[in-house]
Amino acid sequence: MNLSGMPQADLQSINVDVPGNGYYPALSTAYFIEHYAVAQEYASKSALLVEKLKRAQTEVNQELVSAVLTNGTPLNAQQIIFYNDAVYSKAKANLLVSKLGSTHRENATAQSQSAIDNFEHWQRESINAMRLLQALSPNLSVELL
């Protein structure tokens, strides 16, 4: 079940992996649907979910391009958690904005306000996860004088 109490689709049948670039991990539409309460109307649209994940992945990767997260080794488990949270949260925010365009006019005002609040929440979650990820950099250190 998702957060609305509606049964979810079979996640295995609609799972699509979005490959990472070797340094960053791959992403999964099934994980996105299950852990980020993707609305049922989008859960069966694999192409849309893949597009949102790829866009979010690219944006996060661009923001992290100057951050040295490791010294040439793969990300550790904690870094992967923060990276995934940054990407999935950004994708969730972008998915909520997409939902604004598909609502009916009579419900648009109320739904747009709640969706904007949710968009801002998920954007903050993404930014927070990126900050936490960058804080784990081995190049950040404090020197005592």
Side-chain angles (χ1 to χ4, degrees):
M1 295 226 172
N2 64 15
L3 294 181
S4 67
M6 299 298 292
Q8 285 195 325
D10 178 20
L11 295 179
Q12 294 306 317
S13 66
I14 57 174
N15 186 37
V16 177
D17 286 329
V18 176
N21 63 0
Y23 183 70
Y24 294 116
L27 304 166
S28 163
T29 57
Y31 184 89
F32 183 42
I33 293 166
E34 183 177 6
H35 291 88
Y36 288 83
V38 172
Q40 185 64 32
E41 63 195 86
Y42 295 123
S44 60
K45 298 178 181 177
S46 295
L48 176 67
L49 295 179
V50 168
E51 175 194 342
K52 295 298 180 185
L53 286 174
K54 284 184 178 180
R55 285 178 187 265
Q57 181 185 48
T58 301
E59 289 176 23
V60 169
N61 290 356
Q62 286 176 346
E63 291 180 38
L64 293 174
V65 75
S66 63
V68 179
L69 301 176
T70 64
N71 290 321
T73 60
L75 297 178
N76 65 38
Q78 188 176 18
Q79 289 171 317
I80 289 172
I81 290 169
F82 292 141
Y83 174 79
N84 284 344
D85 197 29
V87 174
Y88 288 125
S89 294
K90 188 172 282 288
K92 174 74 174 190
N94 292 337
L95 196 61
L96 289 170
V97 170
S98 295
K99 191 172 182 176
L100 287 177
S102 66
T103 58
H104 300 295
R105 286 191 186 268
E106 61 271 8
N107 298 331
T109 304
Q111 288 182 348
S112 67
Q113 185 57 46
S114 67
I116 288 169
D117 292 342
N118 286 331
F119 170 80
E120 291 167 356
H121 166 76
W122 288 106
Q123 282 288 87
R124 283 190 306 270
E125 289 292 311
S126 178
I127 291 166
N128 186 47
M130 279 192 294
R131 287 181 181 155
L132 291 170
L133 178 59
Q134 290 170 336
L136 295 176
S137 171
N139 295 332
L140 292 178
S141 62
V142 176
E143 186 176 329
L144 298 174
L145 298 176

